[in-house]
Amino acid sequence: MAEKNLTSTTQFVLTAFTDCPEQALPLFLLFLLIYLITLLGNAGMVILIRVDGRLHTPMYFLLSHLSFMDICYSSVTVPQMLAVLLEHGAALSYTRCAAQFFLFTFFGSIDCYLLAIMAYDRYVAVCRPLLYVTVMTQKARLGFVAGAYSAGLFSASVRTVSAFTLSFCGTNEIDFIFCDLPPLLKLTCGDSYTQEVVIIVFAIFVIPACMAAILVSYLFIIVAIMRIPSSGGRAKTFSTCASHLTAVSLFFGTLIFMYLRDNSGHSLQEDRVVAVFYTTVIPMLNPLIYSLRNQEVKEALRKVLE
């Protein structure tokens, strides 16, 4: 029997899209274009927030870090996906696969925490407007961001160690676009109960915990909005949260589908489509969501262009 342990595994082979080589070039060009738009849009958002004084507020401070994370998040996976398409498959060393898994988990976890912190920022702005300046101070903002980075580092470290102490048997081919948890789990054999419990616990800690913080924040926000007497005032107040709510729905919706469900009965092709969406499309859409639906960003962009 061809049974391999992690200590003897030297490489993994990514084989996504190799079953349809005629589509490789069009997909390569499409994803390359999306990646370039992602880099341009998010880098532009970070620069715009830095150079325009009107955007030096807690919300845009957090948004600049979210845009930076989106650049890092997509850069961990998309270049690898482009290499798989261009070369009709790609071999990754064990160390490189583990590093990619760690960085992807690290940046993805920080994204979750930042979105939760931004929901709290909106809660304070809407429900406690008189205390907003005293609550969301520069020290508090730096503390929130440092906490998100530290929690992301801890979560990624534990998940990576747990995932890469699993035993693998059979083929080392991964029909996926990068080293992610669902395809790796399909290669495991032997007793992996402890590692899988740790992985699931930390998945529950990151995704549902952040979602709970966001839902509670928006529950209070909705109650506060409903107390506003005029419909125009309610619409104006809700518009300040619409961009963030859209980004949260897209990001957490795909994460829930990918990681908080039973993997049995789901094909890797289905997982691959979802992975492409949250690793390439969502990072591209975020700067568009926050710019097209935000008057302050549009005015700042117009000023810079002029």
Side-chain angles (χ1 to χ4, degrees):
M1 297 294 292
E3 185 169 338
K4 297 183 179 181
N5 188 276
L6 186 67
T7 56
S8 62
T9 300
T10 58
Q11 69 176 8
F12 295 95
V13 181
L14 301 178
T15 61
F17 304 111
T18 55
D19 53 342
C20 47
E22 68 282 354
Q23 298 179 9
L25 182 58
L27 288 175
F28 173 85
L29 296 175
L30 174 62
F31 293 138
L32 177 61
L33 177 63
I34 292 175
Y35 181 56
L36 293 177
I37 295 173
T38 300
L39 295 181
L40 181 63
N42 285 286
M45 183 66 73
V46 172
I47 295 171
L48 189 65
I49 292 172
R50 290 291 183 266
V51 300
D52 194 290
R54 292 173 297 179
L55 302 182
H56 291 175
T57 63
M59 182 180 71
Y60 293 110
F61 173 79
L62 297 172
L63 178 58
S64 67
H65 281 274
L66 183 67
S67 295
F68 177 66
M69 283 300 104
D70 281 341
I71 293 174
C72 299
Y73 181 70
S74 59
S75 295
V76 170
T77 57
V78 178
Q80 182 64 69
M81 180 172 61
L82 295 176
V84 172
L85 288 168
L86 193 62
E87 300 171 8
H88 305 291
L92 289 180
S93 67
Y94 161 73
T95 304
R96 186 176 173 184
C97 184
Q100 186 181 59
F101 179 84
F102 170 81
L103 291 173
F104 173 77
T105 306
F106 175 58
F107 295 130
S109 298
I110 294 174
D111 253 11
C112 292
Y113 294 128
L114 286 175
L115 288 170
I117 295 169
M118 292 172 75
Y120 174 74
D121 172 80
R122 292 298 83 205
Y123 157 74
V124 178
V126 174
C127 301
R128 300 288 186 271
L130 298 179
L131 299 177
Y132 184 73
V133 177
T134 58
V135 172
M136 298 301 293
T137 61
Q138 184 177 7
K139 184 177 179 180
R141 285 178 273 166
L142 292 174
F144 281 135
V145 171
Y149 279 64
S150 300
L153 177 63
F154 180 67
S155 177
S157 299
V158 173
R159 282 170 59 85
T160 302
V161 170
S162 300
F164 283 84
T165 52
L166 294 169
S167 297
F168 299 90
C169 58
T171 180
N172 63 346
E173 292 185 354
I174 301 176
D175 185 16
F176 212 63
I177 57 178
F178 64 97
C179 288
D180 197 13
L181 187 60
L184 285 174
L185 289 178
K186 292 183 181 294
L187 303 180
T188 60
C189 61
D191 184 13
S192 59
Y193 176 77
T194 302
Q195 294 95 326
E196 290 188 19
V197 167
V198 173
I199 291 170
I200 292 171
V201 166
F202 272 86
I204 292 174
F205 176 75
V206 175
I207 301 175
C210 290
M211 285 192 61
I214 293 169
L215 289 174
V216 170
S217 297
Y218 272 101
L219 179 62
F220 283 106
I221 289 172
I222 291 172
V223 171
I225 290 175
M226 296 304 295
R227 291 175 179 171
I228 299 175
S230 66
S231 59
R234 289 195 294 268
K236 183 178 180 180
T237 304
F238 182 77
S239 67
T240 63
C241 307
S243 298
H244 176 258
L245 195 56
T246 303
V248 165
S249 301
L250 288 173
F251 186 73
F252 281 98
T254 53
L255 288 186
I256 290 171
F257 180 83
M258 191 71 178
Y259 298 110
L260 297 183
R261 62 184 173 88
D262 184 9
N263 284 323
S264 60
H266 294 273
S267 66
L268 278 178
Q269 287 76 15
E270 186 178 284
D271 292 341
R272 194 167 61 194
V273 172
V274 179
V276 166
F277 185 75
Y278 72 76
T279 56
T280 61
V281 178
I282 290 180
M284 178 192 68
L285 291 178
N286 277 343
L288 297 176
I289 292 171
Y290 282 100
S291 60
L292 295 178
R293 299 181 64 91
N294 194 304
Q295 191 62 33
E296 292 176 323
V297 173
K298 288 191 288 187
E299 289 179 359
L301 180 60
R302 187 181 303 112
K303 179 182 176 183
V304 170
L305 292 177
E306 290 175 352

